[in-house]
Amino acid sequence: MFNPNLPGAVAPEQTGAFVCDCIIRLLASLTPSERPEFLKVAYNGPDHMAALAAHEPTMVVDVLGGAGSMHRDTFELIRQSERQGARLALFGRKINQAEIAKRLNLSRPTVITYLRLARERQIVGVKIAGVHFRVNDLADALCETYGLQSALETTYQVCEAAAQFLLDFAAPGDTLAVNWGQTVSFVSEQVPWWPVQWLVVRQLIGYLANPLLPTCESCTTQIARRLSAQCIHLNAPAVCSDVGLAAQLRAEPIIAQQLDRLLDCNKAIHSLSPCTFDTHVVQFNLATEADISDYRAKGAVGIIAGRFIDTEDAPVLGDLDRRMIGADQTILRVMEGLLVVPGRPKLEATRAALHGGYVDHVVIDTARAEELTRERAG
């Protein structure tokens, strides 16, 4: 946590109190599991350092050292900070691109090019903690209302926030199931290059006919690449034209084994569609308009991973389910689900998914979050 760098924003004599107040307010808004283990902060005097160290005993306070400090200044700063409860000190020396170029006997444009290539080749990665996309009162209301483990509501790009949150959601050793559609595709393209050890990423439903569309296999591959995970596809069509053919394919040993291994997935990332004629499920030829009419007549309001859901916490079954190859509603409910919802047309479907036990975490825009909590409060 650095001091304000905008000239005149805070009076010099009030900087310490201002920074201390901001930190304590921020910590108060976090749950115990979200609170940092280390706090890196500038030294603004003994009173403020002591207040921070005493406020959260489980947090290690780390004092920042100045780049231009002399040895005597450095040791005095460490001594004063330790007296007030600080336990670590971090000192660094600022170096700009011109100095790098001089030391390496290179031109400055060459250094800039090398830095850009380092990012592009994943030598350097940038990760934003998901909590920074969270406005706590509304997010907490969503969690309380729908029994969620976490909620991120954001006024920023929802897919970008979900891509950053995915780095916290997918833990080492997890098996992550990946859904399909435009939303998941946008998320997959924005996931930072950030290795997650021993992560396995699995395709949730079979292949679709058009490889140019954001299919399940393309989303799975992209997320696996960016997280340096093992990628496992489901080598079967997503839907068959005949019920008997689908049953035969599901019974084939290779495909049956892949379907059984979907039970290994402990987490999943989803988007969903409304049960309407213009849904991606129809555009991708996964379902026909006649199928949509049939499921709507049975009460379906949303579609998740090609499966239809209603507002009464129950799956809606029909002929299409018998022709599909992929995870069904029962398997989807077992996984810890992350749902990404970018817009209003999906509001009713989102409500059904939240009620139906498919979602444990949600990333949603502020306006939709307000509508969902307002409806339940009413």
Side-chain angles (χ1 to χ4, degrees), residues 23 28 33 38 73-75 84 96 103 148 239 285 287 331:
I23 292 172
S33 63
F38 296 90
D73 299 331
T74 298
F75 289 122
Q84 309 307 325
N96 57 32
R103 286 192 176 195
L148 303 172
V239 64
N285 297 318
I331 294 177

Side-chain angles (χ1 to χ4, degrees), residues 112-123:
I112 293 172
T113 300
Y114 282 161
L115 292 173
R116 177 178 55 79
L117 289 173
R119 290 191 297 269
E120 292 177 354
R121 295 178 182 179
Q122 303 93 58
I123 298 170

Side-chain angles (χ1 to χ4, degrees), residues 131-151:
V131 69
H132 293 297
F133 291 98
R134 185 168 175 252
V135 178
N136 294 284
D137 290 344
L138 191 51
D140 290 343
L142 275 174
C143 291
E144 182 178 352
T145 301
Y146 293 98
L148 303 172
Q149 293 185 34
S150 69

Side-chain angles (χ1 to χ4, degrees), residues 10 32 45 57 60 80 84 115 119 124 163 166 181 208 215 232 241 251 265 277 282 314 342 344 378:
V10 181
V60 177
Q80 293 295 336
Q84 309 307 325
L115 292 173
R119 290 191 297 269
V124 176
L166 187 61
L208 296 169
T215 59
I232 302 178
S241 58
C265 299
F277 297 125
V282 174
R344 179 174 175 76

Side-chain angles (χ1 to χ4, degrees), residues 66-109:
S69 299
M70 296 185 296
H71 288 169
R72 198 243 178 243
D73 299 331
T74 298
F75 289 122
E76 180 64 24
L77 176 61
I78 293 174
R79 179 172 176 269
Q80 293 295 336
S81 300
E82 185 180 17
R83 276 184 173 182
Q84 309 307 325
R87 291 295 175 262
L88 289 174
L90 177 66
F91 292 85
R93 183 175 182 277
K94 296 178 182 178
I95 182 170
N96 57 32
Q97 293 171 352
E99 190 170 351
I100 294 173
K102 183 178 179 181
R103 286 192 176 195
L104 297 178
N105 196 26
L106 299 171
S107 67
R108 185 175 177 182

